[in-house]
Amino acid sequence: MSQPLRVGVAGLGTVGAGLLRLVQAHGNRLAATIGRPIVVAAVSARVRDKERGVSLAHPKWFDDPTQLAADASIDVFVELIGGDEGVAKTAVEAALAAGKHVVTANKALLARHGTELAQLAEKNGVALNFEGAVAGGIPVIKTLREALASNQIRRVYGILNGTCNYILTKMQDEHRAFADVLREAQARGYAEADPTFDIGGFDTAHKLALLTSLAFGTRVAFDQIDVEGIEAITQADIEAADDLGYRIKLLGVALLTESGIEQRVHPAMVPQHSAIAEVSGVTNCVAVDGDFVGNLLLVGPGAGSTATASAVMSDILDIARGAMSHPFRVPAAKLQPYVRAGLGRHQGAYYVRLAVYDRPGAMARIAGRMGERSVSLESIVQRRPRGAQIGINARLEPGAPTPVILITHETTEEAIRQALEAIHRDGNVSEKPQMIRIEPL
Ligand SMILES: NC(=O)c1ccc[n+]([C@@H]2O[C@H](COP(=O)([O-])OP(=O)(O)OC[C@H]3O[C@@H](n4cnc5c(N)ncnc54)[C@H](OP(=O)(O)O)[C@@H]3O)[C@@H](O)[C@H]2O)c1
C-alpha cells in the first residue's frame, strides 16, 4: 500500500462533518480501492468543542484555516467553509500557492474567482476540484469535464436550487400561494431566514456560471448572467400552466447561439410530461445537449450532508489516484473570453398573463400591440380562476379585471417586452403583465 493521502478539512458543518463520517464509514474500502489510505490529518472550524457527531480525536486542530491550508502535515486542502470572499478565499489561495491540491464545494467563491483560482492551481501544478459545488451529489462536473469532453455542447440547463423547486412543487401540488409555502419551507429549514439568495435565482446563477465555463470553455462570467427569481410566480400562473400542459420550474440555462452564449436564470414553462417536469421537491437535475451524445439528463439530490460529501470525496479520490484535470476542462490560460448573447435577441415562445379591464376595445388594442411588434399568438384564453385562494376574486365582480392568458408563437424577447410595455402603458390592464419563457425541450 502506498503513502496515505493526508487531507486537511476546513469547515466542519453540514458538508464537512458529512465528509468525516464518510471517511470513518468507508475508509478501509476506499484504501483497498485506490491502493492508499485517505487520512484526515488536520481540521479547522470556528468553535473547537462543538458537538459534530464525528470523532475529532486524531486530526490536528487549527483555529485558522489559512494556516491549515499551507501546513506541511497535509497534501490536500478541502475548503468547506463557504463565502465568495474572506477566509475561504484567503485559505484556498494560500493552499494553491503552497502547492497543495484543493477540493471545494464553494460555488460562490468559484463563480466570482474561478478563472483566477484555476490559473493559480495550474501555475502551481495542483488540482482544483469542485464536484460538490454544483447540484450536490449529481456528478455533473466530471460528466462535463471528462465524460462529455469530446462533444460540442449546445445547451446545458437544469434545476439547480432545491429550495425553489420545493416551493414551486408545493404551490403546484397543494394549490398554495408563494408566500405561504415559503414560510413553511423556512420553518422546516429548507429555506434560509433571508431567502433572497435562493428564491432570487442567485444560487442557481453561481452554479450555472461554472457549468457554462465547463461546457463552452469560457472564462467564468457570473456577473454576465440574466437572473430572475420565482418571487413573482402566482398560483394563477401555476394553474394556467397546468391547464396548458406545462409545469413552472426555475431553470439555469446556458445556450450556445450564433452571437455568443446566453446565460439565464428564470422561471420557465416546461412540458408537463417531460422528464424535467417530473423533478420535484428538493431534487435537482442537469440536462446536457452534446452534438455526439445527444440529450442526457442527470437527476439526484442537489444538496445535503451525505450527497455533497459523496461528491467531495470523489474529488479527493481523483487526487489520490493521481488523476489531474484542468479545473474548467481546458487549460485556464486558454479559456475564451465570455461573449454574451443579449437576452433581447433570445428567441422563443412566451406565456403572458394579463389582468384586463372589461372595456370595449381593450382586447383588440392588446392584440394590436402584439401585432405592431410582429408577435403572433398561438392562443388566447380568458380564464376564470379555480378558487378564491389565488387572490383574484373568483366570481369576478362587474368591472373587475379579467385574467387573460396568451401563448405566443416564437418571437424575440425584445419584441414581446416592447409589446407588453405598450400594453401596460395603454392602461387596459390593472397590473404589470406577467411573462414567462417557454423552454423548448
Ligand atoms: N449544505 C449543503 O447541502 C451544500 C451543498 C453543496 C455545496 N455546499 C457548499 O459547501 C460549503 C459548506 O457548506 P455547509 O452547508 O457545510 O456550511 P455550514 O454548515 O454553515 O458549515 C460551515 C463551516 O465552516 C466553519 N467556519 C465558518 N467560518 C470559519 C472560520 N472563519 N474559520 C474556520 N471555520 C469556519 C464553521 O465552523 P463552526 O461549525 O465552528 O461554526 C462550519 O463548520 C459552502 O460553500 C456551501 O455552498 C453546501
Side-chain angles (χ1 to χ4, degrees):
M1 182 102 33
S2 334
Q3 288 288 309
L5 184 79
R6 301 164 307 158
V7 175
V9 182
L12 299 172
T14 306
V15 184
L19 180 66
L20 263 57
R21 275 194 292 278
L22 176 49
V23 174
Q24 281 166 13
H26 289 316
N28 292 340
R29 205 169 58 78
L30 295 176
T33 308
I34 54 170
R36 62 190 291 200
I38 307 280
V39 175
V40 178
V43 294
S44 176
R46 252 179 321 211
V47 183
R48 184 164 188 170
D49 53 7
K50 195 190 262 187
E51 173 49 44
R52 301 175 191 275
V54 283
S55 161
L56 296 176
H58 302 297
K60 195 169 158 188
W61 176 270
F62 285 80
D63 285 328
D64 179 358
T66 307
Q67 268 185 9
L68 161 62
D71 195 77
S73 64
I74 65 163
D75 307 305
V76 182
F77 178 65
V78 182
E79 185 275 304
L80 299 170
I81 297 172
D84 59 358
E85 299 292 342
V87 68
K89 178 166 179 272
T90 316
V92 165
E93 286 170 343
L96 294 174
K100 312 282 183 193
H101 301 290
V102 169
V103 173
T104 178
N106 189 339
K107 57 254 176 181
L109 176 69
L110 293 168
R112 293 269 182 208
H113 307 290
T115 308
E116 296 73 24
L117 291 173
Q119 284 166 350
L120 186 58
E122 290 178 15
K123 186 175 144 216
N124 289 286
V126 290
L128 172 62
N129 291 348
F130 52 93
E131 188 61 72
V134 180
I138 303 175
V140 63
I141 303 297
K142 277 189 244 189
T143 299
L144 284 170
R145 195 195 270 150
E146 293 158 27
L148 301 181
S150 64
N151 283 259
Q152 169 64 64
I153 306 297
R154 294 180 286 224
R155 180 171 57 158
V156 54
Y157 61 100
I159 297 172
L160 302 172
N161 182 273
T163 306
C164 289
N165 207 42
Y166 173 85
I167 291 172
L168 292 171
T169 304
K170 283 268 177 183
M171 287 176 74
Q172 169 82 47
D173 293 350
E174 298 176 8
H175 310 290
R176 288 162 61 196
F178 171 78
D180 182 26
V181 179
L182 174 60
R183 265 193 304 276
E184 186 202 293
Q186 286 171 318
R188 290 181 168 218
Y190 292 151
E192 302 286 338
D194 176 3
T196 323
F197 189 67
D198 287 320
I199 65 173
F202 304 106
D203 175 67
T204 299
H206 279 158
K207 298 164 184 168
L208 181 66
L210 305 181
L211 294 181
T212 304
S213 288
L214 281 159
F216 302 113
T218 49
R219 296 168 69 88
V220 186
F222 164 70
D223 55 0
Q224 302 285 308
I225 302 179
D226 291 285
V227 185
E228 288 167 30
I230 61 168
E231 308 91 326
I233 301 297
T234 66
Q235 188 55 228
D237 297 318
I238 300 269
E239 287 182 4
D242 195 32
D243 290 351
L244 292 161
Y246 292 102
R247 292 275 180 271
I248 300 176
K249 298 289 184 188
L250 183 78
L251 296 186
V253 183
L255 175 73
L256 188 63
T257 76
E258 282 173 8
S259 56
I261 297 167
E262 273 180 19
Q263 277 192 112
R264 47 190 165 86
V265 173
H266 55 79
M269 299 267 190
V270 296
Q272 222 162 51
H273 300 298
S274 60
I276 201 164
E278 307 278 328
V279 176
S280 59
V282 294
T283 305
N284 280 199
C285 71
V286 183
V288 187
D289 175 6
D291 61 347
F292 271 66
V293 72
N295 291 304
L296 60 90
L297 182 70
L298 307 170
V299 182
S305 179
T306 54
T308 312
S310 155
V312 171
M313 180 51 87
S314 76
D315 282 341
I316 297 172
L317 293 179
D318 278 351
I319 293 166
R321 279 191 214 100
M324 287 263 294
S325 310
H326 299 293
F328 291 101
R329 187 171 53 81
V330 296
K334 296 248 167 77
L335 287 168
Q336 297 299 307
Y338 172 78
V339 178
R340 179 183 193 159
L343 208 47
R345 293 169 73 174
H346 169 75
Q347 297 224 324
Y350 292 81
Y351 156 99
V352 173
R353 178 172 53 79
L354 302 170
V356 183
Y357 288 120
D358 190 8
R359 290 178 188 148
M363 280 312 297
R365 183 81 177 135
I366 287 167
R369 288 301 197 184
M370 291 288 193
E372 283 167 16
R373 300 293 184 292
S374 306
V375 177
S376 65
L377 300 177
E378 185 189 292
S379 69
I380 306 180
V381 182
Q382 189 173 322
R383 260 190 110 251
R384 289 290 184 273
R386 283 183 199 161
Q389 79 272 25
I390 68 167
I392 300 174
N393 188 333
R395 263 199 232 117
L396 291 180
E397 302 296 333
T402 306
V404 173
I405 308 296
L406 312 176
I407 299 290
T408 75
H409 286 295
E410 187 157 303
T411 180
T412 64
E413 179 114 356
E414 192 176 28
I416 187 78
R417 280 195 182 279
Q418 286 175 351
L420 294 181
E421 273 162 26
I423 288 166
H424 198 199
R425 259 198 324 270
D426 287 342
N428 289 316
V429 293
S430 67
E431 60 190 33
K432 188 168 174 267
Q434 171 73 299
M435 182 269 271
I436 302 176
R437 299 173 190 88
I438 299 175
E439 190 70 22
L441 298 183

